[in-house]
Amino acid sequence: MYRYDAHDQKLVDERVAQFRDQTRRYLAGQLGEEEFRPLRLMNGLYIQRQAPMLRVSVPYGLLSSSQLRTLAHVARTYDRGYGHFTTRQNIQFNWPALESVPDILEDLARVEMHAIQTSGNCIRNVTSDHLAGVAPDEVEDPRPYCELVRQWATLHPEFSYLPRKFKIAVTGSRRDRAATQVHDIGLRLLRNKQGELGVEVLVGGGLGRTPVIGEVIHDFLPVRHLLSYLEAILRVYNLLGRRDNKYKARIKILVRAMGADQFKARVEREWEHLRDRPELTLEQADVDYMKQFFGTPDYSVPEDATALQQALDGDSAFQRWYRHNTVEHKQPGYRAVFISLKAPTVAPGDITDDQMDAVADLAEAYSFGEARVTHTQNLLLADVREDRLPELWRKLAELGLATPNIGKLTDMICCPGLEFCNLANAGSIDVAAAINQRFDDLDYVYDLGDLRINMSGCMNACGHHHVAHIGILGVDKKGKEFYQITLGGSSADDAALGDRLGPAVPKEQVPDTLEALVKTFASLREGEETFLETYRRVGMEPFKESSYDTAH
Amino acid sequence: MTRLIKRREPVRDDPWQLVDEEQTLPQGDVVVPVARYLEERDALHARGGRVGVRVDGTVLAEDLADHLDDLALIAIEFPAFTDGRGYSLARQLRLRYAYSGELRAVGNVLRDQISYLERVGFDSMLLDEQSDLEDALKGFTEFSGYYQNVALEHSPLHLRRRTAAG
Ligand code: SF4
């Protein structure tokens, strides 16, 4: 992974000192609430219902063992012993004291971590494919480009006071696992017929109140121009994006108002003056410099060629886990292993300090000292040799981290909801728990195949409900918690926004409604169809009928 | 106590006089709203003193392009410190139009943004009333380097790395 040089380290150290001084001035009354607000947000600090919330950046989801141990230390020392991984591959702490945040940032800086630009109206953490570098379908490893973009965006003098937050996702695979179509900018690395590397550039995607699928404004941008093109897009947005209404301030609204063609023309006009500036041009040497941080680890050949097969034959629980929680690797003899943070009794994405320490040890022992955060709020050990899987599985199971449900109904994405978020209309964690209780028969869950359920506690859509096969959105009806259900969304290559099932249902009926939906699916399914495929084939009607029948 | 900083120094004897839409034009160097400038351009220049304009975030760089050689100062207004349009305008004026006169940030200009302002090419900042100038000066030196190409340091980090490696 990327390692800081003296420049990077100095910058985060100076950032900590700067924020320490800003916090001091705020607490001393020299810096007003209003003036302090954007400063603390750009250091990841929200003031929430219960306590401040600190969001720490995990650039494109990569964590070293020592970073994980530091996160465990932060959870233990400054918080209540746990952290919460988010859909943008970051981690949040829900209970730090405002006064202690500079100390937390100082501890993080020691292991090359920070909370810079994890909130606020600026360029946020760059997210990527959690299988970067190991996916068999990869065209190009996106991580060097992610890091180049991260550095370009960090403390950017021109783009730190944008109309609204700005999110960039990068993928280098044919299959999009980074949801590039629902980001402010989505970047997809690809090769042309001559074998040259380029970038397909999408703009104006996003969820929130007005969900939009992004539009392609450049289908093959040579990589050397990546930064100048980003700069041109951001400049057009910064100058023309709406600032009078925060619900209309995202770039998707501007792109829609101008039309994608007009927007593109404007960007290209700006870009003309930027494209040949040497400071915005990526030469091969710049890319090579970054690439050296993301080289191939020292793979070896399994010592015991039969160990895996024996375990698969001999232990059905292991077999289940292997099937659902590990995926193919480009290196023969290796698998990528998901660590499920979706145990039935735990809030989705939550992890305790001890579990973080333990995962750090496991990463060291089994996966070259590195773990990753997925945008589905799980962790991943990307490089595990096959013969070591049975042993790793036993250890994960002991830690409660081997729930074999990746990609299945109970692997829900879920925002913090009413318990932790100021803006929530309704709870989400408790609904997830109720769904888990209802669907406690694992074999039934497996029979249903891949099924993505996402839940948000309000229309800000942090839980990405629009792009779920079944989306659940908390709404407030006369002070009561109700849930709007949508079907047929997706954030993969076939990206789509879900359609509304009908009137919102009260909290206690959510599990019933889900059960009716999956029963309808099971009765209409042809062969091994997934829920999404069946829905796309048969449409909304049958689902509508059955779910409102049972509700009455 | 002055609230004006230019090239990191407090300015006590600023020659520029701010004139609004109506006011009669004084002698010396004046800064007028851009609309007035467009209307009274010749009269303004005929007076002898230097001329500057004051613009808000709705003005685009191309609107000013034809006049840049005649303008000794452009004051860019920040209606709120969170309104970042002025940063892009300044950068366009400097990089695309090679404007070499004085760029001054006015309006809701605060200590914690002055370093960003300097980095996009502002020479001077007129601090908001509530700001303390001595304290604000510290804002310039909080960081010893940045990733991007900035007005002061013409090489972004990746370029410096490239040179160091080659
Ligand atoms: S979706 Fe709403 S309730 Fe959930 S975390 Fe986001 S803002 Fe809070």
Side-chain angles (χ1 to χ4, degrees):
Chain A
M1 66 194 285
Y2 184 70
R3 300 306 312 262
Y4 283 7
D5 66 9
H7 298 289
D8 303 302
Q9 188 62 49
K10 200 156 186 197
L11 186 125
V12 294
D13 290 344
E14 288 171 342
R15 178 65 160 193
V16 173
Q18 181 192 46
F19 188 63
R20 192 179 284 289
D21 185 56
Q22 288 165 344
T23 307
R24 179 194 60 75
R25 282 187 280 134
Y26 168 69
L27 291 171
Q30 295 160 17
L31 189 59
E33 188 73 53
E34 279 287 289
E35 286 74 25
F36 184 53
R37 191 169 175 274
L39 305 179
R40 66 168 162 75
L41 288 174
M42 278 191 268
N43 284 287
L45 182 61
Y46 284 77
I47 306 291
Q48 294 283 26
R49 203 181 289 253
Q50 311 270 13
M53 182 274 277
L54 180 70
R55 184 181 296 146
V56 175
S57 181
V58 183
Y60 35 96
L62 297 191
L63 284 169
S64 68
S65 289
S66 63
Q67 291 177 330
L68 258 171
R69 289 191 188 104
T70 300
L71 294 175
H73 151 79
V74 169
R76 190 159 35 231
T77 314
Y78 303 98
D79 206 293
R80 297 189 180 174
Y82 68 97
H84 173 82
F85 285 108
T86 77
T87 55
R88 300 206 73 256
Q89 302 180 302
N90 290 319
I91 184 167
Q92 292 177 184
F93 294 103
N94 281 315
W95 310 94
L98 180 106
E99 299 74 13
S100 66
V101 170
D103 295 334
I104 299 176
L105 296 178
E106 193 169 315
D107 292 348
L108 290 169
R110 286 199 195 104
V111 289
E112 305 180 6
M113 295 190 87
H114 60 74
I116 297 171
Q117 292 168 213
T118 54
S119 181
N121 295 335
C122 52
I123 304 171
R124 303 286 190 86
N125 186 29
V126 178
T127 55
S128 189
D129 184 352
H130 49 264
L131 295 179
V134 306
D137 67 338
E138 191 163 87
V139 174
E140 181 75 15
D141 187 343
R143 294 171 298 174
Y145 303 93
C146 290
E147 180 58 27
L148 284 161
V149 172
R150 182 192 78 83
Q151 297 195 5
W152 162 80
T154 300
L155 307 192
H156 198 295
E158 187 179 342
F159 306 131
S160 291
Y161 293 94
L162 296 170
R164 201 76 178 83
K165 58 188 168 185
F166 204 93
K167 301 175 179 178
I168 300 177
V170 190
T171 180
S173 281
R174 273 182 264 273
R175 266 190 63 201
D176 185 0
R177 285 171 291 261
T180 56
Q181 294 181 79
V182 288
H183 276 77
D184 295 288
I185 292 180
L187 301 171
R188 310 173 82 160
L189 296 165
L190 38 88
R191 287 192 186 277
N192 63 10
K193 285 202 192 79
Q194 290 75 46
E196 295 153 341
L197 191 65
V199 191
E200 182 182 51
V201 182
L202 291 88
V203 295
L207 301 174
R209 285 168 192 250
T210 320
V212 182
I213 304 285
E215 301 211 45
V216 176
I217 60 161
H218 205 307
D219 48 23
F220 192 83
L221 176 76
V223 277
R224 65 195 316 264
H225 295 310
L226 177 60
L227 299 183
S228 58
Y229 206 79
L230 289 177
E231 190 130 330
I233 296 174
L234 265 296
R235 181 169 297 158
V236 170
Y237 170 56
N238 192 37
L239 285 167
L240 302 180
R242 284 181 64 171
R243 291 176 185 268
D244 58 331
N245 179 342
K246 77 173 206 179
Y247 300 118
K248 304 211 155 129
R250 295 288 291 268
I251 193 173
K252 60 193 173 191
I253 306 289
L254 178 67
V255 173
R256 211 185 234 184
M258 290 175 78
D261 289 344
Q262 268 296 317
F263 181 81
K264 178 189 161 103
R266 190 99 201 189
V267 167
E268 302 258 333
R269 221 164 79 208
E270 197 61 48
W271 184 50
E272 241 168 71
H273 304 277
L274 295 170
R275 57 178 292 168
D276 295 317
R277 297 194 74 88
E279 75 275 15
L280 290 173
T281 303
L282 292 176
E283 299 294 354
Q284 194 56 46
D286 307 323
V287 174
D288 290 345
Y289 177 82
M290 279 308 163
K291 276 190 171 169
Q292 63 180 337
F293 294 102
F294 303 97
T296 311
D298 243 335
Y299 292 127
S300 53
V301 178
E303 278 155 23
D304 182 351
T306 57
L308 174 63
Q309 199 51 52
Q310 273 173 13
L312 287 171
D313 294 341
D315 191 332
S316 61
F318 171 71
Q319 191 195 53
R320 205 148 65 174
W321 174 83
Y322 176 85
R323 227 173 93 206
H324 298 290
N325 286 23
T326 76
V327 292
E328 208 188 340
H329 198 289
K330 71 171 188 202
Q331 175 73 18
Y334 277 77
R335 303 282 288 180
V337 173
F338 286 91
I339 298 177
S340 173
L341 302 184
K342 311 292 174 66
T345 51
V346 177
D350 276 9
I351 185 167
T352 67
D353 54 342
D354 291 341
Q355 285 174 324
M356 284 191 265
D357 275 334
V359 172
D361 294 344
L362 294 178
E364 241 154 31
Y366 296 95
S367 193
F368 301 96
E370 190 189 293
R372 301 176 181 196
V373 187
T374 76
H375 89 272
T376 53
Q377 302 177 289
N378 292 305
L379 294 177
L380 182 94
L381 298 179
D383 299 288
V384 183
R385 216 174 63 197
E386 279 179 357
D387 56 338
R388 313 191 66 196
L389 287 170
E391 194 181 304
L392 173 61
W393 167 67
R394 272 190 296 277
K395 292 185 178 169
L396 285 172
E398 275 164 31
L399 294 163
L401 296 172
T403 313
N405 62 349
I406 298 299
K408 303 296 175 290
L409 183 148
T410 51
D411 181 12
M412 286 172 273
I413 290 179
C414 186
C415 82
L418 203 55
E419 277 172 74
F420 295 106
C421 177
N422 272 341
L423 305 164
N425 289 322
S428 49
I429 295 170
D430 48 349
V431 178
I435 295 170
N436 259 309
Q437 242 172 33
R438 178 64 57 94
F439 294 93
D440 60 352
D441 176 356
L442 261 180
D443 287 319
Y444 182 55
V445 167
Y446 292 149
D447 284 344
L448 297 171
D450 283 349
L451 178 49
R452 168 131 307 291
I453 297 184
N454 297 351
M455 208 174 337
S456 305
C458 79
M459 64 210 288
N460 287 316
C462 302
H464 297 183
H465 62 275
H466 300 292
V467 288
H469 305 161
I470 302 179
I472 304 177
L473 163 67
V475 292
D476 175 286
K477 269 197 182 174
K478 302 198 179 103
K480 291 223 166 71
E481 295 167 74
F482 272 67
Y483 296 83
Q484 180 69 252
I485 291 172
T486 49
L487 303 183
S490 165
S491 67
D493 304 83
D494 54 354
L497 304 168
D499 311 311
R500 273 168 68 160
L501 177 67
V505 300
K507 191 173 208 164
E508 57 287 358
Q509 274 176 29
V510 173
D512 293 337
T513 309
L514 277 187
E515 200 171 347
L517 288 171
V518 299
K519 275 192 179 143
T520 307
F521 158 59
S523 71
L524 296 170
R525 183 185 204 182
E526 286 180 359
E528 287 298 291
E529 263 183 346
T530 62
F531 180 89
L532 187 63
E533 287 161 351
T534 303
Y535 172 77
R536 287 185 173 171
R537 182 171 53 77
V538 305
M540 179 63 84
E541 252 350 276
F543 290 100
K544 198 172 229 165
E545 279 166 27
S546 61
S547 42
Y548 290 99
D549 271 2
T550 54
H552 294 136
Chain B
M1 183 70 182
T2 175
R3 290 184 290 115
L4 183 66
I5 300 172
K6 186 169 172 181
R7 307 230 166 79
R8 299 190 176 191
E9 299 283 342
V11 178
R12 296 209 164 71
D13 45 1
D14 179 42
W16 292 99
Q17 308 164 73
L18 236 54
V19 176
D20 66 16
E21 292 285 351
E22 323 269 283
Q23 232 168 309
T24 35
L25 293 171
Q27 291 299 305
D29 302 338
V30 292
V31 184
V32 299
V34 68
R36 180 165 185 185
Y37 176 77
L38 294 175
E39 262 170 39
E40 298 173 36
R41 195 165 171 266
D42 295 340
L44 277 158
H45 286 298
R47 296 168 320 118
R50 292 181 300 166
V51 183
V53 292
R54 183 175 176 121
V55 298
D56 65 13
T58 61
V59 170
L60 296 174
E62 51 250 49
D63 303 337
L64 299 171
D66 291 342
H67 310 287
L68 294 177
D69 290 343
D70 302 326
L71 295 171
L73 178 143
I74 299 175
I76 298 178
E77 164 96 29
F78 287 78
F81 75 96
T82 49
D83 184 336
R85 288 175 293 187
Y87 294 98
S88 283
L89 178 57
R91 214 134 182 266
Q92 279 181 317
L93 290 172
R94 285 286 190 239
L95 295 183
R96 177 158 160 194
Y97 295 98
Y99 178 65
S100 58
E102 179 171 342
L103 279 183
R104 178 174 294 188
V106 299
N108 192 203
V109 175
L110 308 173
R111 172 225 202 278
D112 290 290
Q113 286 77 43
I114 55 172
S115 154
Y116 289 86
L117 293 167
E118 181 185 53
R119 290 164 62 205
V120 294
F122 283 97
D123 311 274
S124 58
M125 301 95 191
L126 181 62
L127 291 171
D128 197 277
E129 268 132 41
Q130 53 186 303
S131 301
D132 176 74
L133 184 129
E134 281 308 314
D135 186 47
L137 290 173
K138 295 182 199 152
F140 289 113
T141 51
E142 288 174 331
F143 288 92
S144 46
Y146 295 96
Y147 289 112
Q148 302 80 6
N149 178 55
V150 295
L152 300 172
E153 174 191 304
H154 287 277
S155 180
L157 190 51
H158 75 89
L159 211 71
R160 276 178 279 144
R161 281 183 180 135
R162 192 194 302 164
T163 335

